[in-house]
Coordinates of all heavy atoms in Angstrom, one line a residue:
M1 N 0.8 -1.2 0.0 CA 0.0 0.0 0.0 C 1.0 1.2 0.0 O 2.0 1.3 0.5 CB -0.9 0.1 1.2 CG -2.0 -0.8 1.2 SD -3.1 -0.8 2.6 CE -3.9 0.8 2.3
E2 N 0.4 2.3 -0.6 CA 1.0 3.6 -0.6 C 1.0 4.2 0.7 O 0.0 4.2 1.4 CB 0.4 4.5 -1.6 CG 0.5 4.0 -3.0 CD 1.6 4.7 -3.7 OE1 2.1 5.8 -3.3 OE2 2.2 3.9 -4.5
P3 N 2.1 4.9 1.1 CA 2.0 5.6 2.5 C 1.1 6.7 2.5 O 0.6 7.2 3.5 CB 3.5 6.2 2.5 CG 4.3 5.3 1.6 CD 3.3 4.9 0.6
S4 N 0.5 7.2 1.3 CA -0.4 8.3 1.3 C -1.7 7.8 1.8 O -2.4 8.7 2.5 CB -0.6 8.8 -0.2 OG -1.1 7.8 -1.0
W5 N -2.1 6.6 1.8 CA -3.3 6.1 2.4 C -3.2 6.2 3.9 O -4.1 6.5 4.6 CB -3.6 4.7 1.9 CG -4.0 4.5 0.5 CD1 -3.3 4.1 -0.6 CD2 -5.2 5.0 0.0 NE1 -4.0 4.2 -1.7 CE2 -5.2 4.8 -1.4 CE3 -6.5 5.4 0.5 CZ2 -6.3 5.0 -2.3 CZ3 -7.5 5.8 -0.3 CH2 -7.4 5.5 -1.8
Y6 N -2.1 5.8 4.3 CA -1.8 5.9 5.9 C -1.9 7.4 6.3 O -2.4 7.7 7.5 CB -0.5 5.3 6.4 CG -0.4 3.9 6.0 CD1 0.3 3.2 5.1 CD2 -1.2 3.1 6.8 CE1 0.4 1.9 4.9 CE2 -1.2 1.6 6.7 CZ -0.4 1.1 5.7 OH -0.4 -0.2 5.5
L7 N -1.4 8.4 5.4 CA -1.5 9.7 5.9 C -2.9 10.2 5.9 O -3.2 11.0 6.7 CB -0.5 10.5 4.9 CG 1.0 10.3 5.0 CD1 1.7 11.0 4.0 CD2 1.5 10.6 6.4
I8 N -3.7 9.8 4.9 CA -5.1 10.1 4.9 C -5.8 9.7 6.1 O -6.6 10.3 6.7 CB -5.7 9.6 3.5 CG1 -5.2 10.4 2.3 CG2 -7.2 9.7 3.6 CD1 -5.6 9.8 1.1
L9 N -5.5 8.4 6.5 CA -6.2 7.8 7.6 C -5.6 8.6 8.9 O -6.5 8.8 9.8 CB -5.7 6.3 7.8 CG -6.3 5.5 9.1 CD1 -7.7 5.5 9.1 CD2 -5.6 4.2 9.1
A10 N -4.4 8.9 9.0 CA -3.9 9.7 10.1 C -4.6 11.0 10.3 O -4.9 11.5 11.4 CB -2.4 9.9 10.0
A11 N -4.8 11.7 9.0 CA -5.5 13.0 9.1 C -6.9 12.8 9.6 O -7.5 13.7 10.2 CB -5.4 13.6 7.7
L12 N -7.6 11.8 9.1 CA -8.9 11.6 9.6 C -9.1 11.3 11.0 O -9.9 11.8 11.6 CB -9.6 10.3 8.7 CG -11.0 10.0 9.0 CD1 -12.0 11.1 8.5 CD2 -11.2 8.7 8.3
L13 N -8.2 10.5 11.5 CA -8.1 10.1 13.0 C -7.8 11.4 13.8 O -8.4 11.6 14.7 CB -7.1 9.1 13.2 CG -7.4 7.7 12.9 CD1 -6.3 6.8 13.2 CD2 -8.7 7.2 13.6
F14 N -6.8 12.2 13.2 CA -6.6 13.5 14.0 C -7.7 14.5 14.0 O -8.1 15.1 15.0 CB -5.4 14.2 13.4 CG -4.8 15.3 14.1 CD1 -3.8 15.0 15.2 CD2 -5.1 16.5 14.0 CE1 -3.3 15.9 16.0 CE2 -4.6 17.5 14.8 CZ -3.7 17.3 15.8
S15 N -8.4 14.5 12.9 CA -9.6 15.4 12.9 C -10.7 15.0 13.7 O -11.3 15.7 14.4 CB -10.2 15.4 11.3 OG -9.2 15.8 10.4
I16 N -10.9 13.6 13.7 CA -12.0 13.1 14.6 C -11.5 13.4 16.1 O -12.4 13.8 16.9 CB -12.2 11.5 14.4 CG1 -12.8 11.3 13.2 CG2 -13.0 11.0 15.6 CD1 -12.8 9.8 12.8
G17 N -10.3 13.2 16.5 CA -9.9 13.5 17.8 C -10.0 15.1 18.1 O -10.4 15.4 19.3
A18 N -9.6 15.8 17.2 CA -9.7 17.4 17.5 C -11.2 17.8 17.7 O -11.5 18.6 18.5 CB -9.1 18.1 16.3
V19 N -12.1 17.2 16.8 CA -13.5 17.7 16.8 C -14.1 17.0 18.2 O -14.7 17.8 18.9 CB -14.3 17.1 15.7 CG1 -15.7 17.2 15.9 CG2 -13.9 17.9 14.4
G20 N -13.8 15.8 18.5 CA -14.1 15.3 19.9 C -13.6 16.1 21.1 O -14.4 16.3 22.0
L21 N -12.4 16.6 20.8 CA -12.0 17.3 22.0 C -12.6 18.7 22.1 O -12.9 19.1 23.3 CB -10.4 17.6 21.8 CG -9.7 18.3 22.9 CD1 -9.5 17.6 24.2 CD2 -8.1 18.7 22.4
L22 N -13.0 19.3 21.0 CA -13.6 20.6 21.1 C -15.2 20.5 21.4 O -15.7 21.5 22.1 CB -13.5 21.3 19.7 CG -12.1 21.7 19.4 CD1 -12.0 22.2 17.9 CD2 -11.6 22.7 20.2
I23 N -15.8 19.4 21.1 CA -17.1 19.2 21.3 C -17.5 18.8 22.8 O -18.4 19.3 23.4 CB -17.9 18.5 20.1 CG1 -17.7 19.3 18.9 CG2 -19.3 18.1 20.6 CD1 -18.4 18.5 17.7
R24 N -16.9 17.7 23.0 CA -17.2 17.0 24.3 C -16.8 17.6 25.5 O -15.7 18.3 25.6 CB -16.8 15.5 24.3 CG -17.2 14.7 23.1 CD -18.7 14.6 23.0 NE -19.2 13.9 24.3 CZ -19.7 12.6 24.2 NH1 -19.6 11.9 23.2 NH2 -20.1 12.1 25.4
R25 N -17.5 17.5 26.7 CA -17.2 18.2 27.8 C -16.7 17.3 29.0 O -16.3 17.6 30.0 CB -18.2 19.2 28.4 CG -18.6 20.3 27.5 CD -17.6 21.1 27.1 NE -16.8 21.7 28.1 CZ -15.6 22.3 28.0 NH1 -15.0 22.3 26.8 NH2 -15.0 22.9 29.1
N26 N -17.0 16.0 28.7 CA -16.6 14.9 29.7 C -15.0 14.8 29.6 O -14.4 14.5 28.6 CB -17.2 13.6 29.3 CG -16.9 12.5 30.3 OD1 -16.2 12.7 31.2 ND2 -17.8 11.4 30.2
P27 N -14.4 14.8 30.8 CA -12.8 14.9 30.8 C -12.3 13.6 30.4 O -11.3 13.4 29.8 CB -12.6 15.1 32.3 CG -13.8 15.5 33.0 CD -14.9 15.2 32.2
L28 N -13.1 12.4 30.5 CA -12.5 11.1 30.2 C -12.6 11.0 28.6 O -11.6 10.5 28.0 CB -13.4 9.9 30.9 CG -12.9 8.6 30.8 CD1 -11.5 8.5 31.4 CD2 -13.7 7.6 31.4
V29 N -13.6 11.5 28.0 CA -13.7 11.6 26.6 C -12.7 12.4 26.0 O -12.1 12.1 25.0 CB -15.2 11.8 26.2 CG1 -15.3 12.0 24.7 CG2 -16.2 10.8 26.8
M30 N -12.5 13.6 26.6 CA -11.5 14.6 26.0 C -10.1 13.8 26.2 O -9.2 14.0 25.2 CB -11.5 15.8 26.9 CG -12.8 16.6 26.7 SD -12.9 18.0 27.9 CE -11.8 19.1 27.0
F31 N -9.8 13.1 27.2 CA -8.5 12.3 27.4 C -8.4 11.4 26.2 O -7.3 11.2 25.7 CB -8.5 11.8 28.7 CG -7.2 11.3 29.2 CD1 -6.2 12.2 29.4 CD2 -7.0 9.9 29.3 CE1 -4.9 11.7 29.8 CE2 -5.7 9.5 29.6 CZ -4.7 10.3 30.0
M32 N -9.4 10.6 25.9 CA -9.4 9.7 24.8 C -9.2 10.4 23.6 O -8.5 9.8 22.7 CB -10.6 8.8 24.8 CG -10.7 7.9 26.1 SD -12.3 7.0 26.3 CE -12.9 6.7 24.7
C33 N -9.7 11.5 23.4 CA -9.6 12.2 22.1 C -8.1 12.7 22.0 O -7.5 12.6 20.8 CB -10.5 13.5 22.0 SG -12.1 13.0 21.8
I34 N -7.4 13.1 23.0 CA -6.0 13.5 23.0 C -5.2 12.3 22.6 O -4.2 12.4 21.8 CB -5.6 14.1 24.3 CG1 -6.3 15.4 24.5 CG2 -4.1 14.2 24.5 CD1 -6.2 16.1 25.9
E35 N -5.6 11.1 23.1 CA -4.8 9.9 22.9 C -5.0 9.5 21.4 O -4.1 9.0 20.8 CB -5.3 8.7 23.7 CG -4.9 9.0 25.2 CD -3.3 8.9 25.4 OE1 -2.6 8.3 24.7 OE2 -2.8 9.8 26.2
L36 N -6.1 9.7 20.8 CA -6.4 9.4 19.5 C -5.6 10.4 18.5 O -5.1 9.9 17.6 CB -7.9 9.6 19.1 CG -8.4 9.2 17.8 CD1 -8.2 7.7 17.5 CD2 -9.8 9.6 17.6
M37 N -5.4 11.6 19.0 CA -4.6 12.5 18.2 C -3.2 12.1 18.2 O -2.4 12.3 17.3 CB -4.9 13.9 18.6 CG -6.2 14.5 18.5 SD -6.8 15.9 19.3 CE -5.5 17.1 18.7
L38 N -2.7 11.6 19.4 CA -1.4 11.2 19.5 C -1.0 10.0 18.6 O 0.0 9.9 18.0 CB -1.0 10.9 21.0 CG -0.6 12.1 21.8 CD1 -0.5 11.7 23.3 CD2 0.7 12.8 21.5
N39 N -2.1 9.1 18.6 CA -1.8 7.9 17.7 C -1.9 8.3 16.3 O -1.2 7.7 15.4 CB -2.9 6.8 18.0 CG -2.7 6.2 19.4 OD1 -1.5 5.9 19.7 ND2 -3.7 5.8 20.0
A40 N -2.7 9.3 15.9 CA -2.6 9.8 14.6 C -1.2 10.4 14.1 O -0.8 10.1 13.1 CB -3.7 10.8 14.3
A41 N -0.7 11.2 15.1 CA 0.6 11.6 14.9 C 1.7 10.5 14.7 O 2.6 10.6 13.9 CB 1.1 12.6 16.0
N42 N 1.5 9.5 15.5 CA 2.4 8.4 15.4 C 2.3 7.6 14.2 O 3.3 7.2 13.5 CB 2.3 7.4 16.6 CG 2.6 7.8 17.9 OD1 3.6 8.8 18.0 ND2 2.1 7.2 18.9
L43 N 1.1 7.4 13.6 CA 0.8 6.8 12.3 C 1.5 7.7 11.2 O 2.1 7.2 10.2 CB -0.6 6.7 12.1 CG -1.0 6.0 10.7 CD1 -0.4 4.6 10.6 CD2 -2.5 6.0 10.7
T44 N 1.5 9.1 11.3 CA 2.1 9.9 10.3 C 3.6 9.8 10.4 O 4.3 9.6 9.4 CB 1.7 11.3 10.6 OG1 0.3 11.5 10.6 CG2 2.4 12.3 9.7
F45 N 4.1 9.7 11.6 CA 5.6 9.5 11.7 C 6.1 8.2 11.1 O 7.0 8.0 10.4 CB 6.0 9.5 13.2 CG 6.2 10.8 13.8 CD1 5.8 11.1 15.0 CD2 6.9 11.8 13.2 CE1 5.9 12.3 15.6 CE2 7.1 13.1 13.7 CZ 6.6 13.3 15.0
V46 N 5.3 7.1 11.3 CA 5.7 5.8 10.7 C 5.5 5.8 9.3 O 6.4 5.2 8.5 CB 4.9 4.7 11.4 CG1 5.0 3.4 10.7 CG2 5.3 4.4 12.8
A47 N 4.5 6.4 8.7 CA 4.2 6.4 7.2 C 5.4 7.2 6.6 O 5.9 6.7 5.5 CB 2.8 7.0 7.0
L48 N 5.7 8.3 7.2 CA 6.7 9.1 6.5 C 8.1 8.5 6.6 O 8.9 8.6 5.7 CB 6.7 10.6 7.1 CG 5.6 11.4 6.7 CD1 5.6 12.8 7.4 CD2 5.4 11.5 5.3
A49 N 8.4 7.7 7.7 CA 9.6 7.0 7.9 C 9.7 5.8 6.9 O 10.8 5.6 6.3 CB 9.7 6.5 9.2
I50 N 8.6 5.2 6.7 CA 8.6 4.1 5.5 C 8.8 4.8 4.2 O 9.5 4.3 3.3 CB 7.4 3.4 5.6 CG1 7.4 2.5 6.8 CG2 7.2 2.4 4.4 CD1 6.0 1.8 7.1
K51 N 8.1 5.9 3.8 CA 8.3 6.5 2.6 C 9.6 7.1 2.3 O 10.2 7.0 1.2 CB 7.3 7.7 2.5 CG 7.2 8.3 1.1 CD 6.1 9.4 1.1 CE 6.0 10.0 -0.4 NZ 4.9 11.1 -0.5
L52 N 10.3 7.7 3.3 CA 11.6 8.3 3.3 C 12.7 7.2 3.4 O 13.9 7.4 3.1 CB 11.8 9.4 4.1 CG 10.9 10.6 4.0 CD1 11.1 11.6 5.1 CD2 11.1 11.1 2.6
G53 N 12.4 6.0 3.9 CA 13.4 5.1 4.1 C 14.2 5.3 5.3 O 15.5 4.9 5.3
D54 N 13.9 6.0 6.3 CA 14.6 6.6 7.4 C 14.0 6.0 8.7 O 12.8 6.0 8.8 CB 14.6 8.0 7.4 CG 15.7 8.6 8.3 OD1 16.6 7.8 8.8 OD2 15.7 9.8 8.6
I55 N 14.8 5.6 9.6 CA 14.2 5.0 10.9 C 14.0 6.2 11.9 O 13.5 5.8 13.0 CB 15.3 4.0 11.5 CG1 14.6 3.1 12.3 CG2 16.5 4.6 12.0 CD1 15.2 1.8 12.6
N56 N 14.4 7.3 11.7 CA 14.2 8.5 12.7 C 12.8 8.6 13.0 O 12.4 8.9 14.2 CB 14.8 9.7 12.2 CG 16.4 9.7 12.1 OD1 16.9 8.8 13.0 ND2 17.0 10.4 11.4
G57 N 11.9 8.5 12.2 CA 10.4 8.6 12.4 C 9.9 7.6 13.3 O 9.1 7.8 14.2
Q58 N 10.4 6.3 13.2 CA 10.0 5.2 14.2 C 10.6 5.4 15.5 O 10.0 5.1 16.5 CB 10.4 4.0 13.4 CG 9.6 3.6 12.2 CD 10.0 2.4 11.5 OE1 11.0 1.6 12.1 NE2 9.4 2.0 10.4
T59 N 11.8 6.1 15.6 CA 12.3 6.3 16.8 C 11.5 7.4 17.6 O 11.4 7.3 18.8 CB 13.8 6.8 16.7 OG1 14.5 5.8 15.8 CG2 14.5 7.0 17.9
A60 N 11.1 8.4 16.8 CA 10.3 9.4 17.5 C 8.9 8.8 18.0 O 8.5 9.2 19.1 CB 10.1 10.5 16.4
V61 N 8.4 7.9 17.2 CA 7.2 7.2 17.7 C 7.4 6.5 19.0 O 6.6 6.6 19.9 CB 6.6 6.1 16.6 CG1 5.6 5.2 17.1 CG2 6.1 7.0 15.4
F62 N 8.5 5.8 19.2 CA 8.9 5.1 20.4 C 8.9 6.1 21.6 O 8.2 5.8 22.7 CB 10.3 4.5 20.3 CG 10.7 3.7 21.5 CD1 10.1 2.6 21.9 CD2 11.7 4.3 22.4 CE1 10.5 2.1 23.1 CE2 12.1 3.7 23.5 CZ 11.4 2.6 23.9
F63 N 9.4 7.3 21.4 CA 9.5 8.3 22.4 C 8.1 8.9 22.8 O 7.8 9.1 23.9 CB 10.6 9.3 22.3 CG 12.0 8.9 22.3 CD1 12.7 8.7 21.2 CD2 12.5 8.4 23.5 CE1 14.1 8.3 21.4 CE2 13.7 8.0 23.8 CZ 14.6 8.0 22.6
V64 N 7.3 9.1 21.7 CA 6.1 9.7 21.8 C 5.2 8.7 22.7 O 4.4 9.0 23.6 CB 5.4 10.0 20.5 CG1 3.8 10.2 20.7 CG2 6.0 11.2 19.9
M65 N 5.3 7.4 22.3 CA 4.6 6.3 23.1 C 5.0 6.2 24.6 O 4.1 6.0 25.4 CB 4.8 4.9 22.4 CG 4.0 4.9 21.0 SD 4.2 3.4 20.2 CE 3.2 2.3 21.1
V66 N 6.2 6.3 24.8 CA 6.7 6.3 26.2 C 6.1 7.5 27.0 O 5.6 7.4 28.2 CB 8.2 6.4 26.3 CG1 8.7 6.6 27.7 CG2 8.8 5.1 25.7
V67 N 6.1 8.8 26.4 CA 5.4 9.9 27.0 C 3.9 9.8 27.2 O 3.4 10.1 28.3 CB 5.8 11.1 26.3 CG1 5.1 12.4 26.8 CG2 7.4 11.4 26.4
A68 N 3.4 9.2 26.2 CA 2.0 9.0 26.3 C 1.6 7.9 27.3 O 0.5 8.1 28.0 CB 1.4 8.4 24.9
A69 N 2.5 6.9 27.5 CA 2.1 5.9 28.6 C 2.1 6.6 30.0 O 1.5 6.4 30.9 CB 3.1 4.8 28.5
A70 N 3.2 7.5 30.1 CA 3.4 8.2 31.4 C 2.2 9.1 31.7 O 1.7 9.3 32.8 CB 4.7 8.8 31.4
E71 N 1.7 9.7 30.5 CA 0.5 10.7 30.6 C -0.8 9.9 31.0 O -1.4 10.3 31.7 CB 0.4 11.3 29.2 CG -1.0 12.1 29.1 CD -1.2 12.4 27.6 OE1 -0.5 12.0 26.8 OE2 -2.3 13.0 27.5
V72 N -0.8 8.7 30.4 CA -2.0 7.8 30.8 C -2.1 7.5 32.2 O -3.1 7.5 33.0 CB -2.1 6.6 29.9 CG1 -3.1 5.6 30.5 CG2 -2.4 7.0 28.5
V73 N -0.9 7.2 32.8 CA -0.8 6.8 34.2 C -1.2 8.0 35.1 O -2.1 7.8 36.0 CB 0.6 6.3 34.5 CG1 0.7 6.2 36.0 CG2 0.8 5.0 33.9
V74 N -0.6 9.1 34.9 CA -0.9 10.3 35.7 C -2.3 10.9 35.5 O -3.1 11.2 36.3 CB 0.2 11.3 35.6 CG1 -0.2 12.5 36.4 CG2 1.6 10.7 36.1
G75 N -2.5 11.1 34.2 CA -3.8 11.8 33.8 C -5.0 11.0 34.1 O -6.0 11.5 34.6
L76 N -5.0 9.8 33.8 CA -6.2 8.9 33.9 C -6.4 8.8 35.5 O -7.6 8.8 35.9 CB -6.0 7.5 33.4 CG -7.2 6.7 33.2 CD1 -8.2 7.4 32.3 CD2 -6.8 5.4 32.6
S77 N -5.4 8.6 36.3 CA -5.6 8.5 37.7 C -6.2 9.8 38.4 O -7.1 9.8 39.2 CB -4.4 8.2 38.5 OG -3.4 9.2 38.3
I78 N -5.8 10.9 37.8 CA -6.4 12.2 38.3 C -7.9 12.3 37.8 O -8.7 12.7 38.6 CB -5.5 13.4 37.8 CG1 -4.3 13.5 38.5 CG2 -6.2 14.6 38.0 CD1 -3.2 14.5 37.9
I79 N -8.1 12.0 36.7 CA -9.4 12.1 36.1 C -10.4 11.1 36.8 O -11.5 11.5 37.2 CB -9.6 11.9 34.6 CG1 -8.8 13.0 33.9 CG2 -10.9 11.7 34.0 CD1 -8.6 12.8 32.4
V80 N -9.9 9.9 37.1 CA -10.8 8.9 37.8 C -11.1 9.4 39.2 O -12.2 9.2 39.7 CB -10.2 7.5 37.7 CG1 -10.8 6.6 38.6 CG2 -10.3 6.9 36.2
S81 N -10.1 9.8 39.8 CA -10.3 10.3 41.2 C -11.3 11.5 41.3 O -12.1 11.6 42.2 CB -9.0 10.6 41.8 OG -8.4 11.8 41.3
I82 N -11.3 12.3 40.3 CA -12.2 13.5 40.3 C -13.6 12.9 40.0 O -14.6 13.4 40.6 CB -11.7 14.5 39.4 CG1 -10.5 15.3 39.9 CG2 -12.8 15.6 39.1 CD1 -9.9 16.3 39.0
L83 N -13.6 12.0 39.0 CA -15.1 11.5 38.6 C -15.5 10.6 39.7 O -16.8 10.5 39.7 CB -14.9 10.8 37.4 CG -14.6 11.6 36.1 CD1 -14.6 10.7 34.8 CD2 -15.8 12.6 36.0
R84 N -14.7 10.1 40.6 CA -15.2 9.3 41.7 C -16.0 10.2 42.8 O -17.0 10.0 43.3 CB -14.2 8.5 42.4 CG -13.9 7.2 41.8 CD -12.9 6.4 42.6 NE -12.6 5.2 41.9 CZ -11.7 4.3 42.2 NH1 -11.0 4.6 43.3 NH2 -11.5 3.2 41.6
R85 N -15.2 11.4 42.9 CA -15.9 12.4 43.9 C -17.1 13.1 43.3 O -18.1 13.2 44.0 CB -14.8 13.5 44.3 CG -15.2 14.4 45.4 CD -14.3 15.5 45.6 NE -13.1 14.9 46.0 CZ -12.0 15.7 46.1 NH1 -12.0 17.0 45.7 NH2 -10.7 15.2 46.5
K86 N -16.9 13.5 42.0 CA -18.2 14.0 41.5 C -18.5 13.3 40.0 O -17.9 13.6 39.1 CB -17.9 15.6 41.0 CG -17.7 16.5 42.3 CD -17.4 17.8 41.7 CE -17.3 18.8 42.8 NZ -17.1 20.2 42.5
P87 N -19.4 12.4 40.2 CA -19.7 11.6 38.9 C -20.1 12.4 37.6 O -19.7 12.0 36.5 CB -20.8 10.7 39.3 CG -20.7 10.6 40.7 CD -20.3 12.0 41.2
G88 N -20.6 13.4 37.7 CA -21.1 14.3 36.6 C -20.2 15.4 36.3 O -20.7 16.4 35.7
A89 N -18.9 15.3 36.7 CA -18.1 16.5 36.5 C -17.8 16.7 35.1 O -17.6 15.7 34.2 CB -16.7 16.2 37.2
T90 N -17.7 18.0 34.7 CA -17.3 18.4 33.3 C -15.9 18.9 33.4 O -15.3 19.1 34.4 CB -18.3 19.3 32.7 OG1 -18.2 20.6 33.5 CG2 -19.7 18.8 32.7
A91 N -15.4 19.4 32.2 CA -14.0 19.9 32.1 C -14.0 21.2 32.8 O -13.0 21.6 33.4 CB -13.7 20.1 30.6
D92 N -15.1 22.0 32.9 CA -15.1 23.2 33.7 C -15.0 23.0 35.1 O -14.5 23.8 35.8 CB -16.4 24.0 33.4 CG -16.5 24.3 31.9 OD1 -15.4 24.6 31.2 OD2 -17.6 24.5 31.3
D93 N -15.5 21.9 35.6 CA -15.3 21.5 37.1 C -14.0 21.2 37.4 O -13.6 21.1 38.7 CB -16.3 20.4 37.5 CG -17.8 20.8 37.2 OD1 -18.1 21.9 37.3 OD2 -18.5 19.8 37.0
L94 N -13.0 21.0 36.5 CA -11.7 20.7 36.9 C -10.8 21.8 37.4 O -9.7 21.6 37.8 CB -11.0 20.0 35.7 CG -11.6 18.6 35.2 CD1 -10.8 18.1 34.1 CD2 -11.7 17.7 36.4
A95 N -11.4 23.0 37.6 CA -10.7 24.1 38.0 C -10.3 23.9 39.5 O -9.6 24.7 40.0 CB -11.6 25.4 37.8
E96 N -11.0 23.1 40.2 CA -10.6 22.7 41.5 C -9.3 22.2 41.8 O -8.7 22.2 42.9 CB -11.7 21.7 42.2 CG -11.5 20.3 41.6 CD -12.6 19.4 42.2 OE1 -13.8 19.8 42.3 OE2 -12.3 18.3 42.5
L97 N -8.6 21.9 40.7 CA -7.1 21.4 40.8 C -6.2 22.6 41.1 O -5.1 22.3 41.4 CB -6.8 20.7 39.5 CG -7.6 19.4 39.3 CD1 -7.1 18.8 37.9 CD2 -7.1 18.4 40.4
K98 N -6.7 23.8 41.0 CA -5.8 25.0 41.2 C -5.3 25.0 42.6 O -4.2 25.6 42.7 CB -6.5 26.2 40.7 CG -6.7 26.4 39.4 CD -7.3 27.7 39.0 CE -7.6 27.9 37.5 NZ -8.2 29.1 37.1
G99 N -5.9 24.5 43.6 CA -5.4 24.5 44.9 C -5.6 25.7 45.8 O -5.9 26.5 46.0

């Protein structure tokens, strides 16, 4: 398959993530949309690495996935703890984290 198909798929996934991030107010759904956008960027890196015949794009994907895994651990625990306290919390209610 041509790498352009992967780039089109990545653009579609990124657009879905961006629209979901802008429209939805649930913090958990917003978090999932951010992860979808990161995966779309990873797909772009891999497709361009294959097209250019260079391994640097795949190396960048490895580091992005490591950072995303750390983000999931910290971010998801914060969001779940807030949603346990207030089950119907929206993104606007997360202002209580200011301290």
Side-chain angles (χ1 to χ4, degrees):
M1 285 184 71
E2 292 272 330
S4 61
W5 290 104
Y6 293 110
L7 294 175
I8 292 170
L9 177 64
L12 182 67
L13 288 174
F14 192 86
S15 299
I16 291 170
V19 168
L21 185 67
L22 293 173
I23 291 177
R24 301 300 299 255
R25 300 307 303 163
N26 186 350
L28 194 57
V29 174
M30 292 173 73
F31 191 70
M32 289 172 33
C33 289
I34 291 171
E35 291 298 320
L36 185 65
M37 292 167 63
L38 279 173
N39 286 330
N42 285 340
L43 182 60
T44 302
F45 279 138
V46 170
L48 290 177
I50 291 171
K51 184 175 183 177
L52 298 175
D54 192 13
I55 198 163
N56 289 333
Q58 294 176 359
T59 307
V61 167
F62 176 73
F63 288 113
V64 169
M65 289 178 75
V66 168
V67 170
E71 171 196 359
V72 166
V73 169
V74 174
L76 195 59
S77 64
I78 291 171
I79 290 172
V80 167
S81 67
I82 289 174
L83 288 177
R84 278 187 183 171
R85 187 184 298 168
K86 293 182 181 179
T90 64
D92 297 329
D93 295 335
L94 297 181
E96 69 184 42
L97 292 176
K98 289 184 180 178

